[in-house]
Amino acid sequence: MIRIPLTSRMAWQALQEHATESSSVHLRDLFRADASRGERMSLQALGFYFDYSKQRVTSETMSLLLQLAEDCGLRGRIVAMFRGDKINITENRAVLHTALRAPRTARVEVDGRDVVADVHAVLDRMAAFAEQVRSGAWRGYTGRPIRTVVNIGIGGSDLGPVMAYEALRAYAVRDIQFRYVSNVDGTDMAEALRDLDAAETLFIVSSKTFTTQETMTNAHTARSWLLDHLNHDAAIARHFVAVSTNAAAVSQFGIDVANMFGFWDWVGGRYSMDSAIGLSTMIAIGPENFRDMLAGFHEMDEHFRLAPFAKNLPVLMGLLSIWNTNFLGAETLAVLPYDQYLKRLPAYLQQLTMESNGKSVTLGGTRVSYETSPIYWGEPGTNGQHSFYQLIHQGTRLISCDFIGFKRSLNPLGEHHTLLMSNLFAQAEALAFGKTSDEVAAEGTAEWLVPHRTFEGNRPSNMLLAEQLTPAVLGKLVALYEHIVFVQGAIWDIGSFDQWGVELGKVLAKRIAAELNAADEPAPSHDSSTNALIRWFRA
Ligand code: G6Q
């Protein structure tokens, strides 16, 4: 297949020219020139109100970006993903997280097998188990019900469950505690176990491969702790369940395969929070809420698959991030949820976006000549305003922001929500329009102080609003970002679904661990710095 380099595409070149021509245009001018810009550049879909009028774009920018999407074959790529083609070419795998939330009646085949039936079989088993734990019918080895669930996993087997648990806490049972242990640093496990009663603790060992060093180390430590307290191997079956694709390793660990919840190689770790990896989420919020969340994911999948690009949320947000990254030079993208429950969303999105699109060769294997994934980061509002927002307002870098907010609070308390939302809208406004030196001077500011108090503005942002944070809305939100990543990857022509950098870390750590334990000299293959570090640690 002949691949046209992205930078040789006509739409790309037109965008470059257009970016140069419009470089001096300010959002103030754009709004002044079009009184209806705020409504025109907004979209209501799936219960979201999405306003992108504060992006530095015109109608021409948008039509060039949409043309770029067409030229890059985004349409065909979407079809290929949903159909189950092996688009993860370096691992020869299908990419079918969308099948995890397909309704029971759907059919998606991988190698001739309908995977939707498999998905629902696992969901049903998860639901039965979750109900048992929630109702107290599931008893620990000494006959007591479960009071704490500890999820042991890392990366994709941790960040999604943690984020979803925090996000949906308002829907969670309050008489069971949930803890998440991921770091191989013993402190993580020690602090999680410190005040727990083994007789009332359930461990979910979540690992797609069941070989990940951190997770296996933590799982073995948890098992020893449990056996120290309950003194019998038979206790393992009542206090450990597994989520994995590796039945052999699960059973070797001592977990009854009857208590294993499976998933498949076509689910990437960072795309797995709605698979069995979400077992802790389901125990927390209950099967019905979990299914609502899946329905939300599915609704966004269908929107992504079917909506015209000009009215397609993931396509628009993906293209806007391309514009900011590749044509305006923004290196980072701040995700700023004005909702305390979404406090772990930025961390979750860091993995989703940067592990997926932190790549520098095209699918054809040649080095890219343009930037790929921006750095995603963020904190919930309003905390960030008293910290790093300063740099977004007045620093030298261009940072684009995704603001997220809700009309109704899950905890309506006096004036809190109105204040929260007024901060949200005010920040987006200030970033876009700034404050000119004339305006500052007109306030009676001393001349020497004027430059310090002037805000350039012209800082681009998206505003994404919804009625209230519900399981379905969370599902839509996560699917939205999953598909934004897909759009970006399709335009950049990179493989969004492998993670060789993560694999490298897994191999390297094992090698050095053996050397840290050995008494002899470090293997000469290391550099002088690494050898010295190993000697320092051993001494
Ligand atoms: C995700 C990555 C990575 C993975 C972890 C845990 O896409 O592949 O973050 O989820 O390394 O892997 P296991 O689930 O196999 O333990």
Side-chain angles (χ1 to χ4, degrees):
M1 187 173 79
I2 301 169
R3 308 185 88 95
I4 301 174
L6 176 57
T7 51
S8 304
R9 291 191 182 278
M10 268 166 65
W12 182 274
Q13 293 180 350
L15 277 159
Q16 252 166 347
E17 244 171 71
H18 171 68
T20 311
E21 282 161 18
S22 55
S23 63
S24 59
V25 177
H26 196 287
L27 280 167
R28 281 195 286 259
D29 307 324
L30 296 175
F31 273 85
R32 212 175 288 130
D34 174 4
S36 63
R37 181 179 168 93
E39 290 92 56
R40 203 167 52 75
M41 292 198 158
S42 69
L43 176 69
Q44 299 200 41
L46 286 73
F48 287 114
Y49 180 99
F50 173 58
D51 173 8
Y52 59 101
S53 62
K54 294 192 187 82
Q55 291 286 350
R56 279 160 54 174
V57 292
T58 59
S59 305
E60 188 187 348
T61 323
M62 294 315 292
S63 59
L64 288 172
L65 286 168
L66 290 165
Q67 188 56 48
L68 182 68
E70 298 291 357
D71 291 0
C72 293
L74 176 61
R75 227 169 261 285
R77 299 251 198 151
I78 296 174
V79 171
M81 172 172 72
F82 278 87
R83 188 169 55 202
D85 290 9
K86 298 197 171 161
I87 60 169
N88 174 358
I89 57 168
T90 65
E91 296 180 305
N92 192 31
R93 288 176 181 168
V95 174
L96 272 178
H97 42 275
T98 51
L100 296 170
R101 53 262 192 160
R104 225 176 260 280
T105 47
R107 207 183 152 81
V108 181
E109 282 189 12
V110 175
D111 299 327
R113 185 182 172 88
D114 174 27
V115 298
V116 178
D118 293 342
V119 164
H120 282 274
V122 173
L123 280 173
D124 291 344
R125 285 185 55 230
M126 286 166 66
F129 178 73
E131 286 298 14
Q132 282 190 46
V133 175
R134 286 162 63 84
S135 68
W138 179 274
R139 297 287 160 141
Y141 179 63
T142 65
R144 305 238 294 272
I146 299 304
R147 291 269 162 263
T148 306
V149 172
V150 181
N151 186 76
I152 301 175
I154 195 165
S157 301
D158 169 71
L159 286 160
V162 177
M163 183 277 289
Y165 172 63
E166 292 295 345
L168 299 176
R169 247 187 135 132
Y171 302 86
V173 281
R174 299 290 178 158
D175 56 351
I176 302 178
Q177 288 189 58
F178 292 81
R179 294 188 184 179
Y180 295 83
V181 177
S182 54
N183 201 333
V184 76
D185 182 341
T187 298
D188 204 6
M189 182 59 84
E191 286 296 339
L193 297 183
R194 191 170 295 279
D195 55 348
L196 292 190
D197 182 345
E200 299 182 338
T201 301
L202 176 74
F203 293 98
I204 303 177
V205 185
S206 298
S207 174
K208 180 171 166 181
T209 54
F210 229 73
T211 55
T212 304
Q213 185 199 52
E214 291 90 334
T215 301
M216 288 303 108
T217 306
N218 280 324
H220 280 101
T221 300
R223 188 173 66 173
S224 306
W225 174 84
L226 187 95
L227 291 176
D228 282 350
H229 286 84
L230 300 182
N231 300 317
H232 209 290
D233 278 355
I236 305 278
R238 305 305 304 167
H239 294 272
F240 276 85
V241 299
V243 178
S244 187
T245 56
N246 186 348
V250 167
S251 122
Q252 206 186 353
F253 179 88
I255 297 177
D256 187 347
V257 188
N259 298 329
M260 167 178 148
F261 301 88
F263 59 118
W264 306 272
D265 73 356
W266 43 261
V267 185
R270 56 194 174 277
Y271 296 87
S272 68
M273 60 164 275
D274 49 338
S275 71
I277 288 291
L279 183 61
S280 61
T281 315
M282 193 193 266
I283 297 173
I285 64 173
E288 203 172 315
N289 279 321
F290 195 85
R291 286 189 196 278
D292 284 352
M293 182 181 81
L294 295 182
F297 269 100
H298 180 65
E299 219 185 306
M300 186 58 78
D301 293 344
E302 290 298 278
H303 170 78
F304 181 47
R305 201 165 67 82
L306 300 170
F309 283 178
K311 298 208 174 304
N312 191 310
L313 285 168
V315 172
L316 288 177
M317 288 181 74
L319 291 174
L320 288 165
S321 71
I322 300 265
W323 172 249
N324 287 323
T325 303
N326 299 112
F327 300 97
L328 298 188
E331 289 172 335
T332 81
L333 195 160
V335 180
L336 306 164
Y338 276 62
D339 189 300
Q340 187 63 19
Y341 285 125
L342 292 181
K343 66 180 179 194
R344 295 293 289 168
L345 183 70
Y348 171 79
L349 292 181
Q350 285 189 319
Q351 183 194 22
L352 180 68
T353 58
M354 298 201 277
E355 199 171 298
S356 296
N357 284 338
K359 310 287 164 65
S360 54
V361 293
T362 64
L363 285 169
T366 52
R367 171 89 201 179
V368 299
S369 58
Y370 39 83
E371 299 293 344
T372 58
S373 182
I375 297 156
Y376 280 76
W377 58 288
E379 280 287 323
T382 57
N383 299 4
Q385 290 173 212
H386 297 264
S387 135
F388 54 78
Y389 275 43
Q390 168 60 37
L391 184 148
I392 310 181
H393 282 290
Q394 286 190 308
T396 52
R397 293 168 195 281
L398 185 72
I399 294 170
S400 70
C401 301
D402 280 1
F403 288 107
I404 300 171
F406 299 93
K407 187 181 282 179
R408 285 187 294 129
S409 169
L410 287 160
N411 295 293
L413 279 180
E415 277 295 289
H416 285 255
H417 196 61
T418 310
L419 292 175
L420 177 70
M421 295 305 280
S422 66
N423 273 284
L424 168 57
F425 297 154
Q427 287 297 325
E429 185 178 30
L431 286 170
F433 302 106
K435 203 175 205 185
T436 62
S437 44
D438 288 348
E439 285 166 347
V440 177
E443 288 171 352
T445 309
E447 204 182 324
W448 68 272
L449 201 50
V450 169
H452 298 276
R453 302 192 57 168
T454 298
F455 293 83
E456 271 174 22
N458 218 17
R459 270 57 172 168
S461 67
N462 285 322
M463 180 71 69
L464 187 68
L465 303 171
E467 191 68 24
Q468 191 164 41
L469 179 57
T470 62
V473 168
L474 182 72
K476 288 183 222 182
L477 193 58
V478 172
L480 169 63
Y481 278 93
E482 287 178 349
H483 298 321
I484 290 170
V485 166
F486 186 88
V487 172
Q488 295 171 332
I491 306 281
W492 289 323
D493 191 26
I494 54 178
S496 303
F497 300 102
D498 59 18
Q499 55 284 314
W500 297 105
V502 180
E503 314 300 336
L504 173 73
K506 291 184 181 184
V507 174
L508 294 183
K510 276 197 185 120
R511 201 171 123 210
I512 294 195
E515 291 170 353
L516 291 179
N517 286 325
D520 50 344
E521 275 292 287
S525 59
H526 291 296
D527 58 274
S528 59
S529 161
T530 310
N531 286 345
L533 299 175
I534 293 171
R535 278 197 295 270
W536 175 87
F537 183 77
R538 280 186 188 166

Coordinates of all heavy atoms in Angstrom, one line a residue, residues 154-157 206-210 212 215 268-270 351 355 499 502-503 506, ligand 1:
I154 N -1.9 -2.7 38.1 CA -1.1 -1.4 37.8 C -1.5 -1.0 36.4 O -1.9 -1.8 35.6 CB 0.4 -1.7 38.0 CG1 1.2 -0.3 38.1 CG2 1.0 -2.6 37.0 CD1 2.6 -0.5 38.6
G155 N -1.2 0.3 36.1 CA -1.4 0.8 34.7 C -2.9 0.6 34.4 O -3.8 1.0 35.1
G156 N -3.1 0.0 33.3 CA -4.5 -0.2 32.8 C -5.3 -1.0 33.7 O -6.6 -1.0 33.7
S157 N -4.7 -1.8 34.6 CA -5.5 -2.7 35.5 C -5.7 -2.0 36.9 O -6.1 -2.6 37.8 CB -4.7 -4.0 35.7 OG -4.6 -4.6 34.4
S206 N -5.9 -8.0 39.6 CA -6.2 -7.6 38.2 C -5.0 -7.5 37.4 O -4.2 -6.6 37.6 CB -6.9 -6.3 38.3 OG -8.1 -6.4 39.0
S207 N -4.8 -8.5 36.5 CA -3.7 -8.4 35.6 C -4.0 -9.2 34.3 O -4.2 -10.4 34.4 CB -2.5 -9.0 36.3 OG -1.4 -9.0 35.3
K208 N -4.0 -8.5 33.2 CA -4.3 -9.1 31.9 C -3.3 -10.3 31.7 O -3.7 -11.4 31.4 CB -4.1 -8.1 30.8 CG -4.4 -8.6 29.4 CD -4.4 -7.4 28.5 CE -4.4 -7.8 27.0 NZ -4.4 -6.7 26.1
T209 N -2.0 -10.1 31.9 CA -1.0 -11.1 31.7 C -0.8 -12.0 32.9 O -0.3 -13.1 32.7 CB 0.3 -10.4 31.3 OG1 0.6 -9.5 32.4 CG2 0.2 -9.6 30.0
F210 N -1.1 -11.5 34.0 CA -0.8 -12.2 35.3 C 0.7 -12.5 35.4 O 1.1 -13.5 36.0 CB -1.6 -13.5 35.5 CG -2.3 -13.6 36.8 CD1 -3.4 -12.7 37.1 CD2 -1.8 -14.4 37.8 CE1 -4.0 -12.8 38.4 CE2 -2.4 -14.5 39.1 CZ -3.5 -13.6 39.3
T212 N 2.9 -9.4 35.4 CA 3.5 -8.1 35.7 C 4.1 -8.1 37.1 O 3.5 -8.4 38.1 CB 2.4 -7.0 35.6 OG1 1.8 -7.1 34.3 CG2 2.9 -5.6 35.8
T215 N 2.4 -6.2 40.1 CA 1.2 -6.9 40.6 C 1.4 -8.2 41.2 O 0.8 -8.5 42.2 CB 0.2 -6.9 39.4 OG1 0.0 -5.6 38.9 CG2 -1.1 -7.6 39.8
G268 N -7.1 -3.7 25.1 CA -5.9 -3.1 25.6 C -6.0 -2.7 27.1 O -7.1 -2.3 27.5
G269 N -5.0 -2.8 27.8 CA -5.1 -2.5 29.3 C -5.7 -1.1 29.6 O -6.6 -1.0 30.4
R270 N -5.3 -0.1 28.8 CA -5.8 1.2 29.1 C -7.2 1.4 28.5 O -7.8 2.5 28.7 CB -4.8 2.3 28.6 CG -4.5 2.1 27.1 CD -3.3 3.0 26.7 NE -2.9 2.8 25.3 CZ -2.1 1.8 25.0 NH1 -1.6 0.9 25.8 NH2 -1.7 1.7 23.7
Q351 N -2.7 8.2 30.9 CA -2.3 6.9 30.4 C -3.0 6.7 29.0 O -2.4 6.3 28.1 CB -2.7 5.8 31.3 CG -2.2 4.4 30.7 CD -2.7 3.2 31.3 OE1 -3.8 3.2 32.0 NE2 -2.0 2.1 31.2
E355 N 0.0 6.9 26.5 CA 0.5 5.6 26.2 C 0.1 5.2 24.8 O 0.7 4.4 24.1 CB 0.0 4.6 27.2 CG 0.8 3.3 27.3 CD 0.4 2.4 28.4 OE1 0.6 2.8 29.6 OE2 0.0 1.3 28.2
Q499 N 2.4 -0.7 23.1 CA 3.0 0.1 24.2 C 4.4 -0.5 24.5 O 4.6 -1.0 25.5 CB 2.1 0.1 25.5 CG 1.7 -1.3 26.0 CD 0.6 -1.9 25.2 OE1 -0.4 -1.3 24.9 NE2 0.8 -3.2 24.9
V502 N 6.3 0.5 27.6 CA 5.9 -0.2 28.9 C 6.6 -1.6 28.9 O 7.1 -2.0 30.0 CB 4.4 -0.3 29.0 CG1 4.0 -1.0 30.3 CG2 3.7 1.0 28.8
E503 N 6.5 -2.3 27.8 CA 7.1 -3.6 27.8 C 8.6 -3.5 28.1 O 9.1 -4.4 28.8 CB 6.9 -4.3 26.4 CG 5.5 -4.2 25.7 CD 4.4 -4.8 26.6 OE1 4.7 -5.7 27.4 OE2 3.3 -4.4 26.4
K506 N 9.3 -3.4 31.7 CA 9.0 -4.7 32.4 C 10.3 -5.6 32.3 O 10.6 -6.2 33.2 CB 7.8 -5.4 31.8 CG 6.5 -4.6 32.1 CD 5.2 -5.4 31.6 CE 3.9 -4.6 31.9 NZ 2.7 -5.3 31.5
Ligands
G6Q1 C1 -2.0 -0.6 29.2 C2 -0.6 -1.1 29.4 C3 -0.2 -1.2 30.8 C4 -0.8 -2.5 31.5 C5 -0.1 -2.7 32.8 C6 -0.6 -3.9 33.5 O1 -2.5 -0.4 28.1 O2 -0.4 -2.2 28.6 O3 -0.5 -0.1 31.6 O4 -2.2 -2.3 31.7 O5 1.3 -2.9 32.5 O6 -0.5 -5.0 32.8 P1 -1.2 -6.3 33.3 O7 -2.7 -6.1 33.3 O8 -0.9 -7.4 32.3 O9 -0.7 -6.6 34.6

